[in-house]
Structures are given as structure tokens and as C-alpha cells.
Amino acid sequence: MLIKGSTEIYGIIGNPVAHSLSPIMHNSAFEALGLNKVYVAFPATNAEKALAACRALGVHGLSVTIPHKETILAHIDSIDPMAQKIGAVNTLLFNEDNKIHGLNTDWIGANKALAEKLELQGKRILLLGAGGSAKAIGFGLLEAGARVIFASRTENKVKVLAETLKCDWTHLADIETIQADGLINATSVGMSPIENASLVPAESLGNFPVVMDIVYAPLETRLLREAKSAGCEVITGLSMLLYQGVAQFEAWTGQDAPVEVMRTALMKAINE
Ligand code: NAP
């Protein structure tokens, strides 16, 4: 696309951002719909200064990533109720009066990815992890009427998270004893370069008909490879990444996102 004086600027702020797949995903979508918009990566160590600069330069929308998803709340003008509950945003809209509104689309992406294989209402989900993603996904699953059991490495962290969401929790060592409709890995275990790791013993995967990993590099983690062998339905981390981006695109443009264009762009980038 030819960048003109009138081209609207979108982007991602975080540190690091050079590896982000969001520019590829959103630019392919802008181009497919012929929109006069461009999406760039802004490495930013200071969220407050980065926001002030974006406001001053007339940026139209931002994705927010590590380490700013929570601290940036102090510098925005309004927040969506789910993002408020989660205590983190990954999407910012700059309104016409230059006010900044925050949303969280991570939970939307995770719910949509899981819902492709499992109706969530009333289902029991074992959710591994107690970090930022586990929190957003946990709130999202509850919102969809599912029941959540957390399991994570650091006991006081998982306890606090489970208490906040009024959910059960267990030790990682005990997950073999759990049966649930679905299992989600929301830890970084299995991610490149430590690819050959999984928190779930292969022999207990039969306890979970649907297994989703939010790690997307590699696309087929050891967890998903073993889950497939155990006969589970599997969902890769690409689905959550895609659908959180679809929700961002639709919030920024008010148009239906070209989902398959975005999926293909992500797939190509991950395979490369
Ligand atoms: P985070 O806040 O740093 O949380 C990481 C979680 O992983 C923590 O609960 C941590 O446990 C756990 N963990 C890390 N190493 C572990 C190990 N060796 N054994 C057991 N648990 C371990 O990170 P996050 O933002 O939630 O992201 C987690 C992963 O999701 C990353 O790989 C990220 O790339 C991926 N992600 C994917 C998407 C997507 O759209 N597909 C979106 C966001 C994130 P402790 O609390 O005990 O340290």
C-alpha cells in the first residue's frame, strides 16, 4: 500500500516488539479491504511517554503488549468493563476528542478459539498458568458460563488468582487426577527455544477431550502433539492470536475483519 499524507496510523507499543506478528496481521487486513491505514511497531519502555507521543501525533489506535498491559491503565481516559475486571488492556482506541479508551480482546480471542471446538456454557476447564494471559482467559471463560480450575507453579500466585475469580485451583503435580471438558495451557512452557516441554503427562491427556495451547511458536507444541496422539481435539495458539486481532481490527475500523486473510498472513509468518 502506498503511504500518503492522509494515511491513518495504528501500531503496537511494548518492549520488545520487533518479533510481533501484529503488524503482518493488521497490515494484510488493511490492504485486503483497501483501507488507507498502516500499522507499525513502536518499541516503548515508558508507556506514559509513548501514549503522549501517540496522542500528539494523531495515532488512531494501538495494541499494547508486555510490559505495559496493566501499568498503562493509569494513563488512559476510559476502560471497558471486562478490561477493568481483568485489570489489563491490550487495545486502545483514540477517539475524535483525542481521549483514549482501553479494551481487552485477549479473552475474546481465547473464548472464540475454544468455542470452535467446545460450547463453553457449563463446561469445566483446567487452565494452566497464573500470569497475565491466564487471568484474562479465566475471566473470559467465567463470562461465557464455564467453570475454571487453575493449576500453576507458584502456589501463592495461583491461590490469589483463584480467590479473585472465585474458582478452584490445584497443584501442577495433581493435574493427573483432574477430569475436565477442556484444558488450556496459558503458560510459556513449550515455547521456543524450550520446545520439548509440557506440563501435562501424556498419559493423562485422555482426561481432556479438547486441548488448547496459547503458545504459537512453535505452532504444534509438545502438548498439542501428545494430545493429538491421545485422540483429543487440539487448538493451536494461532487461533487466540488471530481472534484477539480480529476483535481489535473490528473495534478500530467498525468493519468486519477479513479473517481468512489474517489467518493466512499469520500462518505464513509463523512458518517462516
Ligand atoms: P506471564 O504473565 O509471564 O505468565 C507466564 C506463566 O507461565 C506464569 O504462570 C508462570 O508461572 C508460567 N510458567 C513459566 N515457565 C514455567 C515453567 N517452567 N513451569 C511452570 N510454569 C511456568 O506470561 P503471559 O503473558 O501470560 O503469556 C504466557 C504465554 O502465552 C507466552 O508464551 C505468550 O507468548 C503466550 N501468549 C499467547 C497469546 C496468543 O494470542 N496466542 C496471547 C498472549 C500470550 P509462575 O507464575 O510460577 O512464574
Side-chain angles (χ1 to χ4, degrees):
M1 189 202 78
L2 188 63
I3 297 175
K4 299 175 270 194
S6 59
T7 302
E8 293 180 356
I9 297 172
Y10 293 78
I12 179 165
I13 58 168
N15 187 33
V17 285
H19 67 287
S20 172
L21 299 175
S22 293
I24 289 169
M25 171 170 60
H26 286 300
N27 285 320
S28 64
F30 290 154
E31 196 164 336
L33 298 191
L35 300 178
N36 185 20
K37 300 179 191 293
V38 67
Y39 184 106
V40 288
F42 297 119
T45 47
N46 183 316
E48 186 177 9
K49 285 186 181 167
L51 270 196
C54 287
R55 245 195 247 261
L57 293 172
V59 166
H60 280 71
L62 287 176
S63 307
V64 182
T65 189
I66 288 169
H68 304 315
K69 285 185 176 185
E70 295 172 0
T71 52
I72 209 156
L73 296 190
H75 310 297
I76 64 178
D77 300 299
S78 60
I79 183 165
D80 160 86
M82 267 302 274
Q84 177 90 61
K85 271 200 216 175
I86 294 165
V89 297
N90 73 331
T91 309
L92 299 177
L93 310 178
F94 289 65
N95 298 329
E96 277 172 13
D97 54 2
N98 221 3
K99 296 266 193 253
I100 302 175
H101 183 67
L103 306 170
N104 190 309
T105 68
D106 283 331
W107 70 274
I108 299 173
N111 273 10
K112 191 135 195 222
L114 191 56
E116 286 187 330
K117 305 278 185 193
L118 187 70
E119 159 67 47
L120 299 179
Q121 176 67 42
K123 296 298 191 307
R124 191 170 135 93
I125 310 292
L126 177 61
L127 181 50
L128 307 183
S133 302
K135 190 175 183 190
I137 294 169
F139 270 112
L141 291 171
L142 295 181
E143 184 75 8
R147 289 169 296 142
V148 178
I149 310 152
F150 285 97
S152 196
R153 173 174 69 173
T154 309
E155 182 171 328
N156 48 9
K157 242 173 120 177
V158 70
K159 245 176 154 169
V160 168
L161 183 58
E163 274 165 22
T164 306
L165 276 80
K166 300 185 176 51
C167 293
D168 293 332
W169 68 277
T170 186
H171 293 283
L172 281 178
D174 295 334
I175 59 181
E176 289 170 73
T177 62
I178 305 247
Q179 292 234 335
D181 300 294
L183 178 147
I184 302 175
N185 176 44
T187 74
S188 43
V189 175
M191 187 170 74
S192 169
I194 311 164
E195 299 188 17
N196 204 24
S198 165
L199 292 175
V200 190
E203 51 285 5
S204 62
L205 283 164
N207 294 345
F208 310 100
V210 178
V211 175
M212 170 162 137
D213 205 330
I214 74 164
V215 168
Y216 55 80
L219 215 45
E220 187 175 74
T221 56
R222 175 171 172 183
L223 171 68
L224 294 188
R225 199 167 57 245
E226 292 180 345
K228 226 188 233 174
S229 300
C232 315
E233 290 261 34
V234 299
I235 304 164
T236 72
L238 183 140
S239 292
M240 173 176 167
L241 183 64
L242 170 67
Y243 290 123
Q244 63 79 32
V246 164
Q248 291 186 317
F249 182 95
E250 294 182 349
W252 289 327
T253 65
Q255 291 183 237
D256 289 343
V259 180
E260 291 316 313
V261 169
M262 294 166 81
R263 190 193 305 275
T264 304
L266 281 179
M267 192 74 97
K268 187 163 175 273
I270 289 172
N271 287 334
E272 277 168 8

